[in-house]
Amino acid sequence: MIPASAAAHHRLLLLRHHHHPNPLHSATTITSAATTSPTSSAATTTTTSSPSSQILTLRHHLLTRRTTAVEIATTHLARIRDTESRLRSFLHLNEDAVLKNAADIDARIRRGEELGPLAGVVVGVKDNICTEGMETTAGSRVLEGWRPPGDATAVRRVRERGGIVVGKTNCDEFGMGSSTENSAFQVTANPWDESRVPGGSSGGSAAAVSARQCMVSLGSDTGGSVRQPASFCGVVGIKPTYGRVSRYGLVAYASSLDVIGCFASSVADAGILLHAISGHDRLDATSSKQEVPDFTSQFMPSDSFESKPLKGLRVGVIRETLGDGVDQAVISSINAAAAHLEDLGCSLAEVSLPSFSLGLPAYYVLATSEASSNLSRYDGIRYGNQVLGDELGALYGDSRAKGFGDEVKMRILMGTYALSAGYYDAYYKRAQQVRTMVKNDFKAALVEHDFLISPAAPSAAYKIGEKKNDPLAMYAGDIMTVNVNLAGLPALVVPCGFVEGGSSPLPVGLQMIGSAFSEYLTICYANV
């Protein structure tokens, strides 16, 4: 157990997560000098707008000339240089473009021009999201050296709103993994304990925000790849409703499950970033035309809160997420978080999702089936690096054999088997039936409750290599998150405590699940 004083402090992190202790004992501080403090244990920012938002603080300081975008960019690049050899969060950096973009923002300020909501914000982008002119590999050798001709819609919107893309973050190959150990290039370390994984597949994006290498980052979430790394790295992670954010430019893994999500060090910043990238896109047929509200417009300063600011909210605690297979220390953290929600005025009730345990096998049947179809394009001719062969079959086979890693090959084989003649009804069709059951169970539960809570993962971060050779154990770690993707619902993860186990206490995340397109409400609740 962690000391009582630390436990009390981190209990307050639950729904008022402004800044957590920096895992590398250094913080990027927004000041007039844009300096770093190597002995500081927490990021320190001050603003008249919102004490919880680095983005709003930065905007205030830019407009009042207390700092410049170039100073902020330079500070983050220095931070990356200081920490990258240990963390290995990034696969590609573009320092010249970062400084040029920052200088352009400073020039706009001098001319008195209007700034976008992300002006000067340093953003990391997962390497399976296309960036014009910057290598995009999806963590795979088969795409090594590929530079997309254009930006993904989410990246374009970040740039249009003034965001500065600092680089591409490491990820499991094609998003297939839960630890970032399946990257073809390097293994990312967890900033809280460098002998442990940061989670996956968006581990590089989570680690970069946790270590203050960037302010916010984009990741993708097919079965928990934003939420589980957020939990492991002690940051905020948002998976939006399917269709809320355009998938155009996201390298496909499982198209009916993939979404682009956000990492930040506060709920406010995650909400600001999500708002910037959300909205209908004619280039994505699955993009929703639902109106996008300003997710942060109703935030209130903490000194104006009532004693029970969440009074009247109905919260469901998912029974199946607090039983066998979940570390007792994680259960204790979630129970403490639930008690804190009651203190804030929520009424709690246990809720059962009868199909919960069926979601994991159904997810892996559906995800691998879609992957076997999506990845068939990487044959060395249409897409992907080519290995020459004496005949067409050899060219296909050798290009895929040398381009794909073991995990990707295994999932392609699993999906191909599930879709093969004689097995389609037994596996794929049945998995789709389970998916409908999962959706219905969530729908029924969310009629009675404003949101549901659960752990984001059954354990805290585990050792690098601990589960690499045990795929079933690795897959089981996704049990808390995959059902949300099957149902297409939004979910947000906030740090809610720490457990012993590493060189320092390891963070634990609380998952908050809302109804479709209810990101606005979930973000407002979580920011209290």
Side-chain angles (χ1 to χ4, degrees), residues 57 77 175 234 292 300 332 359 408 419:
T57 299
L77 290 172
V292 181
M300 297 182 295
S332 297
V408 172
L419 292 174

Side-chain angles (χ1 to χ4, degrees), residues 71-106:
E71 288 175 332
I72 294 299
T74 301
T75 298
H76 281 88
L77 290 172
R79 177 70 170 163
I80 292 171
R81 284 192 291 270
D82 289 344
T83 57
E84 185 59 16
S85 63
R86 290 156 27 221
L87 295 182
R88 302 174 296 281
S89 302
F90 285 90
L91 291 177
H92 321 290
L93 292 168
N94 194 346
E95 296 190 22
D96 291 341
V98 169
L99 295 174
K100 179 182 181 302
N101 292 338
D104 289 344
I105 290 170
D106 289 334

Side-chain angles (χ1 to χ4, degrees), residues 148-169:
D151 283 330
T153 296
V155 174
R156 175 177 58 80
R157 289 174 173 171
V158 164
R159 294 192 202 269
E160 288 174 348
R161 288 153 179 77
I164 300 174
V165 176
V166 66
K168 305 303 289 295
T169 57

